[in-house]
Amino acid sequence: MTFSRLLATASLSLGLIASASVAAQAETASLDLVGPLAEYKIYVAENTSQLVKDTTAFVAAIKSGDVEEAKALFAPTRTSYEKVEPIAELFADLDVSIDARADDYEKGEADPTFTGFHRIEYGLWEKNSTDGLEEVADRLLADIIELDNRINGLTFPPETVAGGAAALMEEVAATKVSGEEDRYSGTDLWDFDANFAGSRKIFDLMKPLVVDSDPEFVATVEANFAAVDKVLATYQTESGGYVTYSNLTDDDRTLLTAKVNTLAEDLSTLRGKLGLD
Amino acid sequence: MACPVNNHSNRPTHAQGCPVASRRQVLFGLGAAGGALASATGATAAETAQSPQVADAPSGHLGDTLQSVPFHGRHQAGIVTPRPANGLVASFDTIVQSPDEMEQMFRRLTERIAFLTSGGDVPDRDPKLPPLDSGILGPHIAPDNLTVTVGLGASFFDKVGLEALKPKTLQRMTEFPNDALDPELCHGDVVLQFCANTQDTNIHALRDILKTLSGHLVLRWMQDGDVPVILPGPDGRAESARNYLGFRDGSANPDSTDANRMDEIVWAGADEPAWTQDGTYMAVRIIRNFVERWDRTPLGEQEAIFGRTKDAGAPFGGTHEYDEFDYADDPDGALTPLDAHIRLANPRVPATEENIILRRPFNYANGATRANQLDHGLLFIAFQADLEKGFIAVQNRLNGEPLEEYIKPVGGGYFFVLPGAQNAGDYLGRTLVDAVS
């Protein structure tokens, strides 16, 4: 969830604007970027397809009233969304209804237009119940399917993709290190991991285009990603998930914050280094 | 030069011989001279261009922006330096874990502070890249009296494995009986104190350091504040500024221009690790003031609580804030109550001479509380040669004072301020780095 989303009030037209302007911008992409962009598009498509599949199971668990199953599926379902957030956020109307947090509403959790993952998270963890979540769950699945359709029809704007590596770090820096993103479930480290994976993917795809001209930049970014991986690995569970966020020590939180800030600083230059506006 | 009008507070200011005019008078004057006329007759484009517009940058401080405080010296600036109008304390956690990383951080900090405090042009950068500077002061950075003072918390020495080199009385701040410490406003591995003529200059410097030291420092808490500007007394002598309780603060401070006194009171002593020489201990406290309740307290009671008159700031029985006095002829507190703030803080007897500290506070205004009251208070900053004999001893004497009903310390921390960087080849923290190898 970004601040920009607050500015872009839920309007269906936004998606169409995004698609139209995107097409024009894509034509200017340099030849070098064609390969990485095509590969990234496949990465995003795989993730949104996984997201549809996982959300379908998640919604089914909610509608059958299985609280424990729904809780278990919450974090892993979200990861596919968090990995491709720079693209998913192009559709501000869907991003609001899929991933808004209670703080985005003056009335908080009581706001009737508060929907999506975090509304369901609130019900599952705070109320320990699926009561009243059926409608929200149906809406979530419909939104995710719509997102998948729109993304499949989208020509990716190169500066959004290149800038996405830093944008994901900004997401973590602004709302995730505080533990406020998944405040009811404490599953923030799952989101962290997905945001880093999504950022790393973009960086890895673009790396061949900058490594010769700026090897120091590439080395610094890789070292910082590695430092993050090292910290996250200590919080991984045997099943590949993560312990709740409150287990994170103050020192590790400081380290993650510093690395996220430094990655955001460094990756904010990636667009420019690729010659994109 | 244009005479300054404080752009943060709209309070009339007095500096550098300018005639004092309130903003109101200035506006009235303009109205009569041109503004009203122009609006009545229809201003031409040329007239409009010359007459002040609402969004024009304030014309105050044009001369002040060129003032600078030398960065290099035995001691860091910002300690015995006369306090400018605005201050900001930012506390950081660090991810520095080794002496090598520590040296890298100190060198980087020194480089940024040396630039920011002397000013200069921001380097151009390819417009496809984010700019190197926030730009809030424009392309040319003026020094604006900026000082940036660097200190280390006890936790810093633990993190880098240098416990043996920790200054003798440096410790984690503990909760005093009247405190209600918010853990998110306390402690820190590294502290930076920014002081400048305008808060914008402090904020610009803070943002620069956040950006350029993101690999070393993570912001933990920050509090800014300012000093109300007041007219000098009838004799032309500057008087101590007032806190948000309306009382003068700092009247009994030791003379910061007296180098021998500062050696005794402020700079770390010979019994400390050698690297600390020319450094000092810094106590920071974020002290909330319950100003609404205070304003509903009778004047006589307010004065009895502080132990001074409110208007003049004079001791009881005196007429001027700087009158010399002690309590020898008032052993039972008939004149100045025994539990008056200034009497407890400084009993003015030989035995408490070693507890004298140098205070350099700012007032803060943080908006409103959940209880619909103003969140105002004092960003207390004190420097001393020994933390235990200094702030801690003074605060222990103050515990239980009547003033506690109106104040609530909520944050802060203890730090050791590094010795100065002596010259362009030196850097802050060098003596600590050298002590390791």
Side-chain angles (χ1 to χ4, degrees), chain A residues 45 64 72 99 109 115 120 177 195 202 236 270:
Chain A
S64 67
D99 200 30
E109 284 93 354
T115 60
I120 293 172
V177 289
N195 288 156
I202 295 168
Q236 228 155 14
L270 181 61

Side-chain angles (χ1 to χ4, degrees), chain A residues 91-259:
Chain A
F91 304 104
D93 57 326
L94 291 177
D95 192 37
V96 166
S97 88
I98 292 170
D99 200 30
R101 297 178 302 141
D103 322 86
D104 297 325
Y105 303 93
E106 190 176 358
K107 291 177 186 160
E109 284 93 354
D111 192 301
T113 60
F114 173 37
T115 60
F117 277 119
H118 297 299
R119 173 64 187 88
I120 293 172
E121 180 196 8
Y122 171 68
L124 291 177
W125 270 271
E126 293 294 301
K127 310 279 182 194
N128 202 32
S129 161
T130 57
D131 288 353
L133 295 181
E134 293 79 2
E135 205 178 311
V136 186
D138 281 337
R139 166 85 185 270
L140 177 67
L141 184 56
D143 285 340
I144 295 282
I145 290 168
E146 170 69 10
L147 178 72
D148 184 42
N149 289 337
R150 285 201 211 166
I151 285 179
N152 286 334
L154 178 72
T155 307
F156 287 9
E159 62 286 340
T160 301
V161 175
L168 281 159
M169 294 300 95
E170 298 291 0
E171 284 274 311
V172 178
T175 60
K176 300 231 168 75
V177 289
S178 55
E180 62 196 283
E181 176 82 6
D182 302 310
R183 69 190 62 175
Y184 318 108
S185 62
T187 55
D188 302 80
L189 289 175
W190 292 74
D191 283 22
F192 264 55
D193 183 69
N195 288 156
F196 282 116
S199 177
R200 181 80 201 237
K201 181 71 188 180
I202 295 168
F203 173 72
D204 284 345
L205 289 173
M206 302 298 178
K207 191 167 71 178
L209 305 181
V210 292
V211 70
D212 291 338
S213 59
D214 204 341
E216 197 190 336
F217 164 76
V218 170
T220 306
V221 170
E222 290 194 320
N224 283 323
F225 271 128
V228 167
D229 287 347
K230 205 172 143 194
V231 175
L232 285 180
T234 63
Y235 293 95
Q236 228 155 14
T237 60
E238 281 179 13
S239 56
Y242 282 97
V243 299
T244 49
Y245 193 65
S246 55
N247 288 294
L248 195 68
T249 66
D250 286 347
D251 282 354
D252 281 342
R253 178 171 151 176
T254 301
L255 184 70
L256 281 178
T257 309
K259 294 299 171 191

Side-chain angles (χ1 to χ4, degrees), chain B residues 85-172:
Chain B
N86 291 278
L88 186 161
V89 173
S91 171
F92 299 83
D93 291 320
T94 183
I95 61 164
V96 164
Q97 285 172 326
S98 69
D100 281 352
E101 291 171 352
M102 174 177 84
E103 179 179 343
Q104 194 190 39
M105 175 182 82
F106 286 152
R107 285 182 180 276
R108 194 108 203 239
L109 259 177
T110 304
E111 179 199 313
R112 293 320 301 161
I113 295 170
F115 169 73
L116 291 163
T117 54
S118 54
D121 290 323
V122 175
D124 284 335
R125 205 181 192 192
D126 180 343
K128 286 189 162 62
L129 295 171
L132 290 168
D133 187 89
S134 63
I136 63 173
L137 300 180
H140 181 80
I141 311 300
D144 198 33
N145 245 343
L146 176 70
T147 59
V148 184
T149 313
V150 182
L152 304 176
S155 54
F156 180 87
F157 294 87
D158 302 335
K159 278 193 176 172
V160 290
L162 297 178
E163 290 91 342
L165 290 168
K166 194 186 290 183
K168 281 174 65 180
T169 59
L170 186 61
Q171 54 198 277
R172 184 182 166 93

Side-chain angles (χ1 to χ4, degrees), chain A residues 250-251 253-259 261-262 265 268-273 275-277, chain B residues 93-95 97 125-126 128-130 159 189 210-212 214-220:
Chain A
D250 286 347
D251 282 354
R253 178 171 151 176
T254 301
L255 184 70
L256 281 178
T257 309
K259 294 299 171 191
N261 288 343
T262 309
E265 285 287 346
S268 70
T269 65
L270 181 61
R271 265 169 68 181
K273 286 184 197 298
L276 295 166
D277 287 326
Chain B
D93 291 320
T94 183
I95 61 164
Q97 285 172 326
R125 205 181 192 192
D126 180 343
K128 286 189 162 62
L129 295 171
K159 278 193 176 172
D189 301 327
L210 283 173
K211 191 174 179 68
T212 54
S214 67
H216 297 95
L217 298 174
V218 173
L219 185 65
R220 185 177 172 89

